[in-house]
Amino acid sequence: MRNYHISVIAVVSVLLFTINCFALEDAQITQLMKTANSGEVDAAKLAVKNSKNPSVKTFAEKMVKEHTENGEKVKTLSKDEKIKMSSSDDEKKLKADTKEKMKGLKKAKENDFDKAYMGTQVAMHQELLDKLDTKLIPEARNPALKSYLQETRAHVQNHLNDAKTIQNELQ
């Protein structure tokens, strides 16, 4: 029985160590949020330029404004809290995924652009919402960063809801 307890403790210790090895640091979380905001702004600027639908264009203008503001917030928070942003595998994957989505949007035919953009917006906001819920908020250690992420989560949820509504209108 004693060997069993020692084995369980060893397995739990290894699991906790492994989880902590893949946990994001505050510096990585801030960089990821900066990258997410930049990707949203880039996609939205393209939509402002290419969209023919007034609802899509209005949504895109809102995304430029709100994601620019949110990007500035994370930069200010990093400076004020002395968190030096650093890259992570999660941030690199987000950057690569965003680049691929932008390629797809740039290739979209004029008649298909609005549907493609709104599909991308639903996907990007859902991915960020999931990451906020499962990784970023739980792993943030700095109280100001955690508060920023919780506030941002509410905005991301609203953006997702708006994107889904417009996407349904385009069907």
Side-chain angles (χ1 to χ4, degrees), residues 5 11 43 45 56 62 73 88 108 118 121-122 144 147 162 164-165:
H5 288 299
V11 169
K45 284 181 178 178
V56 172
K62 179 180 173 181
K73 275 186 186 178
S88 65
M118 294 315 301
Q121 286 301 289
V122 168
S147 177
D162 292 347
K164 284 180 177 180
T165 298

Side-chain angles (χ1 to χ4, degrees), residues 38-48 60 64 98 102 105 113 117 120-121 124:
S38 295
E40 284 292 338
V41 170
D42 291 345
K45 284 181 178 178
L46 185 64
V48 167
V64 170
T98 301
M102 286 295 292
L105 285 177
F113 179 83
Y117 172 68
T120 298
Q121 286 301 289
M124 289 171 78

